[in-house]
Amino acid sequence: MKVILYTDVKHLGEMGDVKNVANGYARNFLFPHMYAVPYNDQTVAYFESRKEEIEARKEQKRKDAASLKEKLEALTIELKVPAAANGKLFGSVSALTVSEFLAKNGFEIERKRIEIPGVAIKSVGNYHCTIHLYEASNAEVKISVVAQEDDTAKKEAPKKAEKKEEAAPAEEAPAEDANA
């Protein structure tokens, strides 16, 4: 069934696009939610009258994507991840990790739009990832994966010293009692 999209529909298209979809998908999902209208002479005429408005909206999205691209390419993502002495990570850096970092820094980007070479990063080093923005606009972002300092080893060292000090007086006390 041929329909014209009334609003942007994820994974299908944008407002004003003419799409061929399954009859059931159109009747049961697109039409009841007012995402699309049937393709006929009246709806074609309506969208032709709004063509300038739709193109202006798409142009605005292109401009927003271009400015976002500049901001992202200027950004270097530095992630501190627990790693072994040889540089191999205890885990990995995935698109979800990058997406969470970007969200903390004010960028709302879905993890599905982030493409990391080899699916995940598994060792310390410098990498590049591609973020798909709008249409053919992509941003190349630098990722620096750094080994996290091991805080647990620093905390355990003083505890071991305290345990040795506590154990020493306890051993001496029974020896004194035996002499008395």
Side-chain angles (χ1 to χ4, degrees):
M1 172 183 275
K2 215 171 190 184
V3 297
I4 301 176
L5 297 180
Y6 194 69
T7 60
D8 294 351
V9 179
K10 198 173 192 176
H11 305 295
L12 186 60
E14 296 180 341
M15 178 192 290
D17 290 351
V18 177
K19 296 289 182 176
N20 252 342
V21 297
N23 291 342
Y25 182 58
R27 280 194 315 262
N28 298 323
F29 181 71
L30 296 176
F31 295 160
H33 289 97
M34 301 297 292
Y35 292 147
V37 292
Y39 183 87
N40 57 35
D41 294 336
Q42 293 171 336
T43 56
V44 169
Y46 173 74
F47 279 98
E48 285 296 324
S49 68
R50 293 187 60 200
K51 191 172 188 173
E52 289 179 15
E53 177 187 332
I54 292 169
E55 286 301 320
R57 188 170 171 227
K58 288 182 180 182
E59 186 60 36
Q60 181 63 37
K61 284 185 178 181
R62 286 184 197 104
K63 287 180 183 176
D64 291 344
S67 68
L68 184 60
K69 178 181 178 177
E70 290 176 10
K71 291 177 184 176
L72 286 172
E73 288 183 344
L75 179 71
T76 299
I77 298 172
E78 185 172 323
L79 299 170
K80 293 183 179 180
V81 184
N86 62 359
K88 195 165 186 168
L89 301 181
F90 297 130
S92 65
V93 175
S94 64
L96 178 64
T97 312
V98 174
S99 174
E100 289 171 350
F101 178 86
L102 291 173
K104 287 178 185 175
N105 290 306
F107 297 101
E108 293 299 321
I109 297 174
E110 299 172 349
R111 67 178 173 84
K112 294 178 182 178
R113 295 181 174 268
I114 300 171
E115 183 180 320
I116 295 178
V119 182
I121 298 171
K122 297 182 180 183
S123 61
V124 174
N126 295 321
Y127 300 91
H128 291 278
C129 75
T130 303
I131 299 176
H132 304 286
L133 299 173
Y134 180 73
E135 292 177 340
S137 181
N138 296 325
E140 289 290 325
V141 180
K142 298 172 198 144
I143 300 175
S144 177
V145 180
V146 180
Q148 184 178 22
E149 293 182 17
D150 192 14
D151 294 335
T152 57
K154 291 179 183 176
K155 290 178 183 176
E156 288 178 9
K159 288 181 182 177
K160 287 180 181 176
E162 290 175 12
K163 287 181 181 178
K164 286 182 181 177
E165 290 175 8
E166 291 174 6
E171 291 174 5
E172 293 174 9
E176 291 176 9
D177 290 335
N179 293 335

